[in-house]
Amino acid sequence: MRRAARGLLNHAEMQVTNTKSGRKTILPHNQQKVLQRQLSTQEVIERDDKYGGRHFKTLPVVLVRGEGVHCWDIEGKKYVDLLGGFATMSQGHSHPRLVQVMRDQVGKLQHTSRAFYTEPHGELGEYLCKLTGYDRFLPMNTGVEAGDTALKIARRWGYKSKNIPDNEAVVVFAEGNYWGRSLAALSSSTDPNCYKHFGPYMPKFENVPYNDLSALEDKLKKQPNICAFMCEPIQGEAGVNIPSDGYLKGVRELCTKYNVLWIADEVQTGLGRTGKRFAVDYESVKPDMLVLGKALSGGMYPVSGVLGSNEIILTLETGIHGSTFGGSPLGQRVALEAMKVLEEEKLADNAAKMGQIVREELQHVPKDIALEFRGKGLLAGLKLNPDFANGWDICAKLIQQGLLTRPAHNYIIRISPPLVINEQQIREAMGIIKKTLLGHKKS
């Protein structure tokens, strides 16, 4: 008896009926796609809107493929990607080395948990520590988890090493910070869109103005129970706010003076994005803890973590911290290869060169169109004049012209492409932006 008659089809097969003869035919899986109607852009969007959450405002394009600095939508249209997965795709979409390592490792050993030793865990830690001069790397998954882990470590250190009274440890943050959407992260936020109606908030979180050393010292001087100061070397989500020269060096000196840990959130600014390996390298300073994520795994798998000294990281003794997927063989192997790509392909150097072109192309846009260009390397933003247009309208027009990005705070056009972008591609992208802005002005 034929398998079709018994209804015992292989999972890779499909039974179809010829509409003329009525005969049933079994097709292998690789031929099924020709019979399946592809959904339109609108149908995909409507399905998302019906079954998904509404917490994220999404631009109306459906992406199905990426390679290098380009993406393609469901209709086959090609785009230059200037968003880079919110500065995550530094190695480019589907980098062949990362794809190969991902395939190899997932077919070998993808997950065990930290209940057992695996080779990739220590291998990534050793590579990062020798590269950066830190003693230990504690891996997690997402950037917000790494930030939360750094805060746990800081509090623990405060009680064990600084002798802060129990439950009295204070963490200070820079105003305008953004390190995620967890309850702890929003408790440190000064953006109502992030924290409003989500209280009660994490206790003992306080804020000082960003790029203000006097305010920071005043806070550190008055409050003896501060265990840490956490800030981004360049504030990304706040609109690419770049501090004054000497600010980071001053932060280092003040934290040392008042025996406070400095946590540098380099989830977005780190790993070549700003034209240096880390943004703190512009002032040759070393934070007590460095928080990494995003490009650490090239967007292939969520990998983040915290770098620090033996004294600091080892305040977390056995049994008091953990993560089901943190330090997984798959994640660590991909992250190791992603780091090697960043270093061996000199992507920080390329970011510096391409970022200079972006600055040259955009810093002289007329003030009636854009008020200000901000940027370092390939972390940049063009602040639109509110009287000219809002960011959503401009980004929608950029999509029509084959360029992908989205605004920050409605009026800042983000520029954070894959760091593999070359001069021809970056000039093409800048040309699209300028043409679109001038076309909008005329309309």
Side-chain angles (χ1 to χ4, degrees):
M1 183 179 289
R2 295 157 72 185
R3 286 183 298 169
R6 297 199 312 268
L8 300 176
L9 293 178
N10 184 287
H11 74 279
E13 298 174 336
M14 173 183 181
Q15 181 173 280
V16 297
T17 302
N18 187 300
T19 55
K20 291 184 178 180
S21 66
R23 283 182 157 180
K24 296 183 189 284
T25 305
I26 298 174
L27 289 181
H29 180 74
N30 61 6
Q31 294 180 26
Q32 293 175 29
K33 61 182 179 181
V34 300
L35 300 175
Q36 297 170 350
R37 185 180 69 83
Q38 178 176 280
L39 296 180
S40 68
T41 294
Q42 190 58 38
E43 287 172 322
V44 172
I45 291 173
E46 289 174 355
R47 182 176 62 186
D48 264 41
D49 288 344
K50 181 177 180 179
Y51 295 107
R54 299 285 182 90
H55 60 286
F56 203 87
K57 189 173 182 180
T58 307
L59 287 157
V61 58
V62 179
L63 303 178
V64 296
R65 186 166 71 89
E67 182 179 336
V69 301
H70 295 107
C71 291
W72 286 260
D73 68 18
I74 200 167
E75 271 96 26
K77 182 177 178 179
K78 183 180 180 181
Y79 301 85
V80 178
D81 180 10
L82 270 202
L83 187 61
F86 290 117
T88 296
M89 310 300 299
S90 295
Q91 298 85 346
H93 292 274
S94 300
H95 193 291
R97 286 175 59 177
L98 301 189
V99 171
Q100 187 60 53
V101 165
M102 186 83 163
R103 285 173 173 162
D104 290 346
Q105 188 62 42
V106 81
K108 180 181 178 182
L109 181 68
Q110 75 272 28
H111 182 62
T112 63
S113 86
R114 287 296 312 286
F116 311 100
Y117 287 100
T118 61
E119 291 177 296
H121 179 267
E123 195 174 7
L124 175 63
E126 180 183 31
Y127 184 90
L128 286 171
C129 289
K130 287 184 175 179
L131 187 70
T132 63
Y134 286 96
D135 296 326
R136 293 180 181 272
F137 175 68
L138 196 163
M140 296 298 289
N141 305 289
T142 62
V144 70
E145 288 177 276
D148 192 78
T149 297
L151 296 180
K152 286 182 67 176
I153 294 170
R155 281 183 166 180
R156 189 79 170 178
W157 173 88
Y159 297 128
K160 291 171 66 69
S161 299
K162 195 174 177 180
N163 297 317
I164 295 173
D166 200 25
N167 296 322
E168 293 298 324
V170 173
V171 180
V172 179
F173 300 85
E175 293 176 0
N177 72 80
Y178 179 85
W179 54 280
R181 297 280 187 170
S182 69
L183 288 172
L186 65 85
S187 294
S188 72
S189 176
T190 54
D191 180 0
N193 285 332
C194 187
Y195 69 77
K196 190 176 180 180
H197 294 156
F198 288 110
Y201 306 107
M202 182 74 72
K204 306 295 183 181
F205 278 12
E206 299 181 11
N207 297 91
V208 295
Y210 182 66
N211 194 28
D212 188 334
L213 291 173
S214 296
L216 177 59
E217 181 161 27
D218 187 56
K219 176 73 73 172
L220 297 178
K221 188 183 300 183
K222 291 179 179 178
Q223 174 54 272
N225 292 332
I226 294 173
C227 63
F229 173 59
M230 181 170 171
C231 72
E232 301 154 85
I234 297 172
Q235 291 188 326
E237 188 67 22
V240 194
N241 293 330
I242 301 173
S244 304
D245 291 344
Y247 175 68
L248 300 178
K249 188 169 288 187
V251 168
R252 174 66 280 169
E253 291 171 353
L254 288 175
C255 287
T256 300
K257 178 179 178 180
Y258 291 96
N259 194 24
V260 166
L261 298 182
W262 175 23
I263 304 170
D265 173 8
E266 292 244 27
V267 169
Q268 183 165 207
T269 58
L271 305 178
R273 173 56 53 184
T274 67
K276 297 276 190 182
R277 182 180 291 142
F278 302 112
V280 295
D281 292 344
Y282 276 98
E283 296 195 19
S284 302
V285 287
K286 186 176 182 180
D288 297 292
M289 282 187 276
L290 206 58
V291 183
L292 303 180
K294 288 188 181 288
L296 182 57
S297 61
M300 299 293 286
Y301 192 91
V303 180
S304 65
V306 182
L307 283 162
S309 67
N310 285 318
E311 177 198 359
I312 292 170
I313 298 296
L314 294 180
T315 58
L316 293 184
E317 302 98 336
T318 301
I320 64 171
H321 188 66
S323 168
T324 298
F325 290 99
S328 75
L330 180 58
Q332 306 307 94
R333 186 69 79 195
V334 170
L336 177 62
E337 193 67 20
M339 284 300 308
K340 289 180 178 179
V341 169
L342 287 170
E343 293 295 317
E344 292 169 14
E345 296 188 7
K346 302 184 184 306
L347 296 186
D349 292 344
N350 191 59
K353 294 173 185 175
M354 296 305 105
Q356 185 58 36
I357 293 173
V358 173
R359 178 176 293 278
E360 291 168 0
E361 294 280 354
L362 297 183
Q363 67 180 347
H364 299 304
V365 172
K367 296 297 183 184
D368 61 335
I369 294 177
L371 299 176
E372 182 183 6
F373 172 81
R374 306 169 182 171
K376 218 159 204 179
L378 286 176
L379 180 65
L382 185 67
K383 186 176 183 180
L384 299 176
N385 187 329
D387 295 330
F388 169 72
N390 67 65
W392 286 102
D393 290 342
I394 296 301
C395 286
K397 287 191 172 185
L398 289 173
I399 286 176
Q400 295 172 7
Q401 299 302 315
L403 187 146
L404 300 172
T405 189
R406 65 181 279 126
H409 297 282
N410 204 26
Y411 291 102
I412 300 172
I413 304 301
R414 302 172 191 255
I415 301 168
S416 57
L419 304 188
V420 295
I421 198 165
N422 62 33
E423 182 173 347
Q424 179 184 346
Q425 293 163 340
I426 201 72
R427 291 195 185 278
E428 175 192 355
M430 296 305 102
I432 292 172
I433 290 176
K434 291 193 291 186
K435 180 180 178 181
T436 300
L437 292 173
L438 292 173
H440 185 82
K441 180 179 180 180
K442 292 177 182 177
S443 63

